[in-house]
């Protein structure tokens, strides 16, 4: 059974794979929308083996080494004409063969350190008409190299869009990518604004991982992890690029970083979901990547929590949204060039630190800063909801004159533009459009109709509001002279003007000549940014008032997402959705720097017994005065949680759970008299579970009359399973036992004293699983090949957890489990990693 999703992206590992996993998935088109996801930035050996010259297309660093994705399996590629032919022809084949409704093109990106391969040098000469230059030789060479890398993927995306859309008019084409902020921090270049402006893409998946929000950020003079703030900034920044296309926000319940424990990942997942939902415009979601890692490979409790979050995401779409935070209407201009600029050779301040130097203090002050793409800004109407716009020119560059023309029109109409920027040697590039004015700042002044301002680069230390800025950053300070008579000095240092304001039409230009990267290196960075913003708002003719906030809270229908920067307390009664027990919280306290994801109980109709919240997919619900019936479906071997309320004076009389065949199943419950609330939890069998709760006026004590007992054992060459393994002809390694060829495993468990036992097997590959009461009379329960219909799988991509309920097979004493190979003529036989079991102990 599926998690709560409408669409599935089946990953294609190699473009020319003749039998990808989607071949199996398309059989389920009646249940779910099935497309593919495929990387267009890397190749496998199958491509390299076609021609020796194909090795020229691999991204290469200065040392001459190839840039490898997975050793001996995948290499990062330059989107050369040859590679593009290969990509397009295979995408065409896959779309046609499987009648795909959508494709997702993963990570059109290139490494900063690439740019030395034969293919890239050829593309340089074709694009610029000059001989290739080492990108580390000058700011101009670096910028042109990064711009070319983005162009090459623009060219590939255009070709895919044009050719496939012409042949398959109903095909939807999406890209999946990390944020410009992450690319910048990880030394990768991409062009999200440029890609989405091509007009050939239907949408975008923002890949904000637990890993990306765990990246340290320099803030208030120290480098640390700010998970919520990083998540908020990433998700909000994606929307600047969309140009009216569909946007899907991804959060990862686990992580690429294998040193992260499940507890680490759970904490990061909570903050990423909270950060995501603080942006009201985000209404579509990719609920998880890599299902085996994110869902099947985690604890039962965490799976239940994920089911809660996925149900909430499904349910909040289209709901009314109310955001309670600091001053709205403040936006930051972003650009693809954020990931094209580096501080290398002292060419510019660190562009990532420049971004966070402004935005981190804003978010930490509870300001819901939004983002506007400078690259795609050609119409002042785009800024209609913005009151204060912040531009940092030393860590990004305008793409074309129309960008500044639109800015100038908006300012003249009443907007306030605040430029916070030191000097950047990228301003010296002679073949870019602004050079005829001098620098990008000169071009901005010209667009605004301001003439005669002169400025110089300072190297002495300076301060704002009495806070000294780090000297290593202050070398980029600008001081201004020859200001217009209408201008007013804002800041000075050493007798020189380093900040001024000037009215422009109905609006205002404010220029502060220091690098925002320096704000992160002072303990008073938040204060500086707060006062810069507050002063700008105070100077506005509008009634806007600067207000910061110790928290951010968004309400989406009955769902409340709250982040506290300092400790806070909410009033009211809530269900904690980030708790597998769906605990009830009254006036909950929220610790500083943490988030809560809640269901507001005040939205529940208490006039009769009511199902307030349930994880999983609610298929049927019937609520009567003395009886509540509902059915939930979802992935098997997963516990789904539900919470009900009833009027005062009613109590649960009977609680039943039935599978799709009508068989009784065990239901864990907990009754709470204080809140007249019933908690239910049970394993999800195939086909779902139906709950029947009857109510009466007969009082019931708190709690339940049983507890569950869990046990588990790893199955590997460590032989920890020796007490249960009675027959073994299979192989083993440090992670698993595996039944290649005609081998098998048989386990025996004495369940004679167990009530309602359930077993969970973590398995993969080409498995057959059978059960028996005596070790001789076997009943097949799972056959991955479906009787030979599914071809041999040559990897462990199908790793999953299957459940076995002895009582369902009439087994009450000895329980035998046999694992073997559904393709015994070859290897890749059934593998088992762990066996887990649960049973019930009734209290006296």
């Amino acid at each position: 059974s599926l998690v709560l999703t409408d669409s599935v992206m089946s990953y294609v590992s190699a473009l020319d794979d003749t039998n990808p996993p989607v071949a199996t998935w398309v059989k389920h088109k009646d249940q779910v929308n099935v497309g593919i996801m495929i990387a267009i930035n890397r190749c496998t050996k199958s491509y390299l083996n076609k021609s020796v010259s194909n090795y020229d297309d691999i991204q290469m660093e200065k040392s001459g080494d190839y840039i490898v994705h997975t050793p001996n399996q995948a290499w990062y590629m330059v989107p050369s004409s040859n590679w593009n032919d290969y990509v397009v022809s295979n995408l065409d084949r896959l779309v046609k063969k499987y009648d795909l409704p959508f494709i997702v093109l993963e990570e059109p990106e290139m490494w900063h350190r690439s740019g030395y391969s034969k293919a890239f040098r050829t593309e340089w000469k074709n694009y610029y008409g000059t001989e290739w230059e080492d990108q580390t030789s000058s700011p101009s060479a670096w910028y042109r190299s990064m711009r070319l890398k983005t162009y090459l993927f623009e060219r590939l995306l255009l070709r895919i869009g044009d050719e496939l859309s012409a042949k398959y008019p109903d095909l939807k084409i999406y890209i999946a990518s990390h944020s410009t902020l992450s690319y910048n921090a990880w030394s990768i270049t991409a062009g999200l604004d440029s890609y989405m402006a091509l007009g050939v893409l239907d949408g975008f998946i923002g890949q904000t991982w637990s890993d990306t929000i765990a990246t340290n950020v320099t803030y208030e003079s120290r480098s640390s992890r700010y998970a919520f703030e990083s998540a908020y900034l990433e998700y909000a920044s994606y929307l600047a690029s969309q140009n009216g296309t569909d946007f899907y926000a991804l959060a990862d319940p686990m992580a690429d970083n294998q040193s992260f424990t499940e507890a680490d990942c759970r904490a990061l997942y909570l903050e990423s979901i909270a950060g995501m939902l603080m942006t009201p415009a985000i209404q579509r979601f990719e609920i998880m990547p890599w299902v085996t890692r994110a869902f099947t490979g985690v604890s039962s409790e965490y799976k239940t929590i994920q089911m809660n979050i996925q149900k909430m995401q499904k349910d909040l779409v289209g709901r009314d949204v109310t955001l309670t935070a600091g001053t709205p209407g403040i936006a930051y201009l972003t650009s693809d060039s954020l990931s094209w600029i580096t501080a290398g050779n002292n060419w510019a301040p660190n562009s990532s630190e420049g971004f966070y130097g402004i935005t981190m203090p804003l978010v930490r002050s509870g300001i819901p800063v939004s983002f506007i793409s400078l690259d795609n800004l050609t119409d002042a109407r785009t800024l209609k909801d913005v009151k204060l716009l912040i531009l940092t020119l030393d860590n990004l560059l305008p793409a074309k004159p129309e960008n500044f023309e639109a800015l100038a029109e908006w300012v003249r109409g009443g907007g306030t533009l605040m430029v916070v920027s030191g000097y950047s040697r990228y301003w010296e590039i002679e073949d870019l459009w602004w050079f005829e004015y001098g620098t990008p700042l000169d071009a901005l002044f010209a667009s605004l109709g301001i003439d005669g301002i002169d400025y110089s680069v300072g190297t002495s230390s300076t301060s704002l509001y009495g806070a000294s800025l780090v000297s290593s950053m202050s070398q980029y300070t600008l001081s201004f002279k020859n200001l217009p008579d209408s201008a007013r000095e804002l800041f000075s240092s050493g007798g020189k003007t380093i900040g001024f304001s000037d009215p422009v039409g109905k609006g205002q230009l404010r220029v502060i000549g220091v690098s925002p990267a320096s704000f992160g290196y002072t303990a008073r960075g938040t204060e500086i940014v707060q006062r810069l913003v507050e002063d700008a708002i105070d100077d506005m003719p509008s009634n806007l008032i600067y207000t910061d906030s110790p928290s951010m809270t968004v309400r989406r229908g009955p769902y409340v997402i709250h982040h506290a920067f300092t400790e806070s307390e909410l009033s009211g009664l809530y269900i904690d959705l980030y708790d597998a027990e769906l605990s009830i919280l009254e006036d909950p306290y929220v610790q500083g720097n943490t988030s809560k994801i809640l269901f507001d109980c005040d939205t529940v109709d208490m006039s009769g017994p009511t199902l307030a919240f349930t994880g999983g997919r609610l298929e049927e619900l019937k609520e009567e005065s003395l009886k509540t019936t509902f059915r939930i479906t979802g992935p098997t071997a997963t516990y789904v949680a539900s919470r009900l309320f009833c009027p005062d004076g009613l109590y649960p009389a009977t609680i039943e759970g039935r599978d799709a065949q009508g068989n009784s199943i065990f239901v864990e419950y907990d009754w709470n008299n204080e809140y007249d609330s019933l908690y239910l939890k049970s394993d999800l069998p195939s086909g779902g579970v139906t709950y029947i709760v009857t109510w009466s006026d007969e009082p019931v004590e708190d709690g339940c009359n049983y507890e569950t007992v869990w046990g588990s054992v790893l199955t590997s060459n460590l032989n920890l399973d020796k007490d249960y393994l009675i027959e073994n002809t299979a192989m083993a390694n440090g992670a698993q036992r595996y039944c290649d060829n005609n081998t098998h495993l048989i386990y025996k468990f004495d369940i004679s004293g167990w009530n309602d036992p359930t077993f969970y097997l973590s398995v993969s590959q080409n498995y057959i699983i059978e059960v028996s009461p005596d070790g001789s009379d076997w009943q097949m329960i799972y056959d991955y090949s479906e009787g030979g219909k599914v071809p041999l799988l040559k990897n462990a991509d199908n790793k999953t957890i299957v459940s076995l309920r002895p009582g369902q097979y009439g087994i009450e004493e000895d329980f035998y489990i046999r694992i073997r190979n559904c393709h015994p003529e070859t290897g890749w036989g059934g593998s088992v990693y762990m066996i887990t079991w649960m049973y019930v102990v009734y209290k006296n």
Side-chain angles (χ1 to χ4, degrees), residues 637 639 683 710 758-762 801-803 834-836 838:
Y639 274 77
D683 185 20
W710 290 86
T758 302
F759 287 77
Y760 305 95
L761 276 64
S762 176
I801 297 176
V802 300
S803 62
M834 176 184 287
I835 300 176
T836 302
M838 180 278 293

Side-chain angles (χ1 to χ4, degrees), residues 292-520:
T292 297
R293 179 183 79 181
F295 192 75
T296 60
V298 302
S299 66
S300 174
E301 179 183 52
Y302 194 24
K303 286 198 290 183
T304 300
I305 290 171
Q306 289 185 52
M307 294 277 283
N308 293 344
I309 298 304
Q310 292 159 18
K311 174 59 164 59
M312 175 195 66
Q313 288 176 298
K314 180 78 172 177
D315 196 37
L316 58 72
V317 175
R319 301 272 193 162
D320 291 337
V321 183
T322 303
L323 177 64
T324 303
T327 303
I330 301 172
Y332 180 97
L333 282 160
T334 186
S335 165
D336 288 340
S337 58
L338 268 171
S339 71
W340 303 351
I341 291 178
T342 178
N345 297 324
N346 204 30
W347 292 338
N350 183 291
S351 55
S352 180
E353 291 173 352
F355 172 86
Y356 288 111
I358 290 284
T359 58
M360 273 291 291
L362 288 175
V363 176
R364 292 281 299 172
S365 302
I367 304 293
V369 60
S370 61
F371 296 88
I372 302 292
S373 165
L374 178 62
D375 298 340
N376 297 333
L377 181 62
T378 57
D379 190 334
R381 288 174 294 184
T382 304
L383 304 172
K384 62 182 177 63
D385 296 325
V386 178
K387 305 301 181 185
L388 173 64
L389 189 59
I390 302 171
L391 173 62
T392 55
L393 277 175
D394 58 0
N395 65 342
L396 55 81
L397 297 170
K400 46 191 175 290
E402 293 88 340
N403 304 149
F404 278 176
E405 291 167 8
L407 274 181
E409 182 184 348
W410 174 76
V411 174
R412 285 191 291 268
T416 296
L417 175 65
M418 183 164 68
V419 180
V420 184
S421 179
Y423 188 73
S424 163
R425 284 190 57 200
Y426 288 92
W427 292 5
E428 302 168 5
I429 302 174
E430 296 184 3
D431 56 355
L432 296 180
W433 70 267
W434 63 75
F435 193 73
E436 64 176 289
Y437 299 97
T439 70
L441 187 57
D442 291 319
L444 177 63
F445 290 157
S447 298
L448 292 164
I450 302 174
D451 298 321
I453 295 180
D454 193 13
Y455 50 89
S456 58
V457 182
T459 56
S460 60
S461 61
T462 187
S463 64
L464 293 178
Y465 303 110
S468 296
L469 303 180
V470 176
S471 58
S472 62
M473 291 284 115
S474 65
Q475 61 186 301
Y476 301 107
T477 301
L478 299 177
S479 59
F480 302 92
K481 58 184 178 180
N482 300 328
L483 297 177
D485 292 339
S486 57
R488 176 169 58 94
E489 183 180 84
L490 298 175
F491 303 101
S492 64
S493 178
K496 297 179 180 180
T497 299
I498 61 171
F500 70 90
S501 66
D502 191 28
V504 179
K506 298 178 181 179
Q508 183 183 126
L509 171 69
R510 300 173 73 86
V511 180
I512 295 88
V514 299
S515 172
S518 63
F519 298 162

Side-chain angles (χ1 to χ4, degrees), residues 12 36 69 101 166 191 219 393 437 446 498-499 578 588 610 616 647 690 732 784 820:
V12 178
I36 61 169
H69 178 270
Y219 170 70
L393 277 175
Y437 299 97
I498 61 171
Y578 215 72
T610 302
T690 298
Y784 177 74
R820 54 190 180 91

Side-chain angles (χ1 to χ4, degrees), residues 443-700:
L444 177 63
F445 290 157
S447 298
L448 292 164
I450 302 174
D451 298 321
I453 295 180
D454 193 13
Y455 50 89
S456 58
V457 182
T459 56
S460 60
S461 61
T462 187
S463 64
L464 293 178
Y465 303 110
S468 296
L469 303 180
V470 176
S471 58
S472 62
M473 291 284 115
S474 65
Q475 61 186 301
Y476 301 107
T477 301
L478 299 177
S479 59
F480 302 92
K481 58 184 178 180
N482 300 328
L483 297 177
D485 292 339
S486 57
R488 176 169 58 94
E489 183 180 84
L490 298 175
F491 303 101
S492 64
S493 178
K496 297 179 180 180
T497 299
I498 61 171
F500 70 90
S501 66
D502 191 28
V504 179
K506 298 178 181 179
Q508 183 183 126
L509 171 69
R510 300 173 73 86
V511 180
I512 295 88
V514 299
S515 172
S518 63
F519 298 162
Y521 286 93
T522 173
R524 294 176 61 187
T526 296
E527 177 193 346
I528 291 172
V529 174
Q530 285 177 333
R531 293 188 63 177
L532 286 173
V533 170
E534 185 172 9
D535 286 352
I537 290 174
D538 287 346
D539 279 354
M540 291 180 184
S542 68
N543 294 323
L544 190 66
I545 297 174
Y546 172 79
T547 306
D548 52 36
S549 174
S551 64
M552 296 176 73
T553 305
V554 68
R555 176 181 289 273
R556 293 172 176 248
Y559 300 101
V560 175
I561 299 89
H562 178 85
H563 181 83
F565 301 104
T566 59
E567 62 181 9
S568 64
E569 187 173 325
L570 297 171
S571 61
L573 196 67
Y574 302 92
I575 298 171
D576 187 351
L577 300 189
Y578 215 72
D579 177 8
E581 307 298 317
L582 293 178
S583 58
I584 300 173
L585 305 178
E586 186 171 4
D587 299 333
Y589 164 80
V590 186
Q591 186 177 352
N593 296 314
T594 58
S595 297
K596 287 288 188 183
I597 299 178
L598 308 167
F599 180 93
D600 186 354
C601 297
D602 288 343
T603 64
V604 178
D605 180 3
M606 300 290 193
S607 61
T610 302
L611 174 63
F613 179 85
T614 182
R617 189 186 300 270
L618 181 62
E619 301 282 4
E620 298 171 7
L621 173 63
K622 187 176 182 180
E623 295 175 327
E624 303 174 86
S625 60
L626 295 177
K627 187 176 182 181
T628 304
T629 306
F630 60 104
R631 186 167 73 92
I632 305 169
T633 60
T636 56
T638 301
Y639 274 77
V640 64
S642 308
R643 184 163 288 283
L644 300 87
F645 289 92
C646 69
D648 187 30
L650 282 183
Y651 307 88
T654 62
I655 300 168
E656 297 181 71
R658 298 192 178 278
D659 64 17
Q661 291 73 42
N663 300 309
S664 178
I665 66 170
F666 170 70
V667 179
E668 182 177 344
Y669 70 87
D670 187 7
W671 168 250
N672 185 300
N673 276 294
E674 181 180 1
Y675 298 113
D676 298 312
S677 182
L678 177 66
Y679 167 77
L680 304 177
K681 184 173 77 170
S682 70
D683 185 20
L684 271 176
S686 178
V689 58
T690 298
Y691 295 108
I692 305 104
V693 181
T694 62
W695 309 89
S696 76
D697 57 6
E698 185 69 27
V700 174

